Amino acid sequence: MSEHEENYAEQGRAVYEALLARTGEAAPQPRLEPTRRALDLLGDPQRAYPIIQLAGTNGKTSTSRMIEGILRGYGLRTGLFTSPHLVHFNERIVVDGEPISNETLVRNWEDIQPYVNMVDLELEDSGDVPLTFFEVLTVLGFAIFADAPVDVAVVEVGMGGEWDSTNAADAQIAVFTPIDLDHTNRLGTTIAEIARTKAGIIKPAATVVTAAQHPDAMAQLVNAAELSEAPLIAQDIDFELVSDVVAVGGQVISVRGRAGLYSDLYLPLYGDHQGQNAAVAIAAVETFLGNGLQRLSTDPLTEGLTEVESPGRLQLVGVEPTVLVDAAHNPHGARSLAAALGKYFDFREIVFVLGVLGDKDAEGILEVLAPLAQRIHLTASASTRSIPVDELADRARSTIDPALVHSYDTLEDAVFEAREWANEGESRLVVVTGSVVLAGEVVELADENGWKK
């Protein structure tokens, strides 16, 4: 790394530290006005390009990456905004397929910081909480996309929808991945309540594209779309995943889109849910490019899906023994993980390394994974939000067979013991899951120790 790059790397770390000093993502403020105020002071950068926005419980990041990849295959300059990051903060803001450089981060931070400070002072004067981590991140992302400039931005909602700071922008296409129970302390205790909050991203003149949903969720989306006079494009009615077949390194899928049938598409991701995500992504791109009337060209579609990556989603990070990382952090994600393990991998015994954050349904995750497990190694990530190991172990032993449960004070001990156990037998698999933070830490650990030589 040159001195120039090192200097910006240091300044980039300082920007991240400044953001971390704000109210964190675990405690979002249910408000939009402060984000709108900051964007207004900046000249509304979010209006400089069309936006495809995604909300849902699971699959948002993977689907976002597929949409962005296909659009980039068409030669469009794309912006991609996702959260949380797996390893590096810059992963959250991607321009033209590459995470932003530290120089881009620093220069744009310097541009927006005076306006962020101005809004902070206004909020403090009114007795309100200053802009949060995610509110400032949203403003930064929109500003970077305008500065790039991008032709289209694919924006993943942080939490919920209606009051999420990304909703300060008006999306032309509102995409919904499957909605299930998650963040129940903030979004509601029923699927209908959660869907009602997420449906807040539907705006007048938008078009809605949705995955297959629980009936309670679909009713909320239909109602919100009708109120905004927004056309609703639904999976299994207007488009569908026709077939998916296991292939080396992923699967081969066929999708009936809005404008035609797309056969034998290679998708280098594991899990039937990824095939479903691809169907939603194709319908979203068809809707964006030609309102569903124009068939997608073969080359951009093939390129976009073939090159898609989904870090932290059934990601192979080690061999001898095989180690997979999956960021499933709720029961719905755990069910998708369990289904994929049964279909795409042929191992006789599995050890799960599991760490869960405090606002998640640990018991629900354990109940899904326990029937597949020979051992479950409980631990905690470095996040202060992690459930302490002793508490997680107590909750696990009261939920599943106590004989499965082994607890470790550090992630390193949990995963190294899991790898040793896997090496001692034949056809044994290590799966690290339960938290995006935990997944990111193991990706780094695997890289540092050369598990995938």
Side-chain angles (χ1 to χ4, degrees):
M1 185 182 293
S2 69
E3 184 177 345
H4 175 82
E5 291 171 327
E6 180 58 42
N7 182 46
Y8 273 114
E10 185 176 337
Q11 292 181 58
R13 287 190 290 270
V15 172
Y16 184 44
E17 291 297 326
L19 292 174
L20 287 176
R22 296 175 175 272
T23 300
E25 292 173 279
Q29 299 297 303
R31 63 189 189 184
L32 283 179
E33 285 310 312
T35 306
R36 285 177 173 153
R37 171 66 174 151
L39 290 169
D40 178 59
L41 291 170
L42 284 164
D44 285 324
Q46 79 283 5
R47 298 185 186 277
Y49 39 82
I51 292 174
I52 301 173
Q53 187 176 25
L54 291 91
T57 302
N58 289 298
K60 295 190 297 295
T61 302
S62 297
T63 307
S64 296
R65 289 177 179 276
M66 293 179 200
I67 292 172
E68 185 273 338
I70 298 169
L71 291 172
R72 189 157 33 87
Y74 269 92
L76 296 176
R77 187 168 172 81
T78 56
L80 176 64
F81 182 92
T82 59
S83 62
H85 60 277
L86 193 66
V87 179
H88 301 293
F89 172 69
N90 299 40
E91 297 168 14
R92 294 176 179 239
I93 303 173
V94 174
V95 174
D96 227 15
E98 294 294 332
I100 56 168
S101 66
N102 285 308
E103 182 174 354
T104 297
L105 172 62
V106 171
R107 290 187 181 279
N108 280 274
W109 171 248
E110 290 172 346
D111 288 342
I112 75 166
Q113 191 175 15
Y115 304 101
V116 168
N117 292 341
M118 192 181 305
V119 177
D120 283 343
L121 288 173
E122 293 174 354
L123 290 167
E124 289 170 355
D125 286 345
S126 64
D128 208 345
V129 177
L131 289 166
T132 67
F133 174 101
F134 195 74
E135 287 171 331
V136 177
L137 175 63
T138 299
V139 174
L140 181 63
F142 287 147
I144 287 172
F145 293 154
D147 183 63
V150 301
D151 298 315
V152 55
V154 181
V155 176
E156 177 187 337
V157 167
M159 185 186 294
E162 180 181 11
W163 43 258
D164 185 81
S165 58
T166 62
N167 205 32
D170 294 333
Q172 283 73 17
I173 312 293
V175 180
F176 293 90
T177 62
I179 297 170
D180 209 305
L181 296 174
D182 199 13
H183 299 295
T184 52
N185 59 329
R186 292 189 173 273
L187 303 181
T189 57
T190 67
I191 289 177
E193 289 176 321
I194 292 171
R196 191 178 306 126
T197 300
K198 294 182 184 295
I201 70 169
I202 300 173
K203 308 287 180 62
T207 300
V208 179
V209 177
T210 179
Q213 301 286 358
H214 185 283
D216 292 348
M218 184 60 81
Q220 295 297 326
L221 298 183
V222 169
N223 182 61
E226 288 177 348
L227 288 173
S228 292
E229 297 183 352
L232 188 145
I233 312 304
Q235 185 176 6
D236 297 334
I237 298 174
D238 302 291
F239 66 94
E240 66 178 329
L241 178 66
V242 176
S243 65
D244 63 335
V245 179
V246 176
V248 176
Q251 56 194 297
V252 174
I253 64 172
S254 293
V255 173
R256 175 178 65 82
R258 297 186 65 194
L261 179 66
Y262 307 97
S263 300
D264 300 327
L265 300 170
Y266 178 66
L267 185 65
L269 303 175
Y270 300 109
D272 291 358
H273 59 291
Q274 296 290 16
Q276 303 288 350
N277 291 339
V280 173
I282 287 170
V285 175
E286 285 180 318
T287 302
F288 177 75
L289 291 178
N291 196 27
L293 301 175
Q294 178 180 323
R295 179 183 170 83
L296 298 184
S297 301
T298 300
D299 288 349
L301 177 58
T302 302
E303 179 184 332
L305 293 182
T306 301
E307 295 182 1
V308 72
E309 295 179 346
S310 192
R313 272 70 180 181
L314 279 167
Q315 180 181 355
L316 177 68
V317 299
V319 295
E320 298 181 355
T322 301
V323 181
L324 296 175
V325 165
D326 192 88
H329 54 269
N330 52 43
H332 185 277
R335 289 192 292 272
S336 294
L337 168 61
L341 291 174
K343 180 173 179 178
Y344 290 83
F345 300 92
D346 186 22
F347 290 89
R348 287 199 294 269
E349 297 181 304
I350 302 175
V351 53
F352 290 96
V353 178
L354 185 74
V356 185
L357 299 186
D359 61 342
K360 301 298 181 181
D361 181 4
E363 286 84 355
I365 296 171
L366 285 160
E367 286 172 351
V368 173
L369 298 182
L372 304 180
Q374 271 59 52
R375 296 169 65 93
I376 297 180
H377 289 197
L378 300 178
T379 186
S381 69
S383 172
T384 56
R385 296 165 54 204
S386 291
I387 300 174
V389 176
D390 291 344
E391 177 188 337
L392 185 58
D394 288 341
R395 290 166 63 175
R397 292 189 179 102
S398 66
T399 303
I400 62 174
D401 181 358
L404 293 174
V405 178
H406 305 263
S407 58
Y408 297 86
D409 291 334
T410 69
L411 171 60
E412 288 82 358
D413 287 345
V415 76
F416 280 121
E417 288 286 337
R419 293 181 75 244
E420 282 193 15
W421 175 84
N423 274 328
E424 288 169 358
E426 293 184 2
S427 192
R428 286 178 170 179
L429 171 67
V430 180
V431 180
V432 183
T433 190
S435 157
V436 176
V437 180
L438 192 80
E441 290 177 5
V442 173
V443 168
E444 282 194 288
L445 196 64
D447 187 54
E448 291 167 1
N449 288 276
W451 293 355
K452 201 179 168 186
K453 290 179 181 176

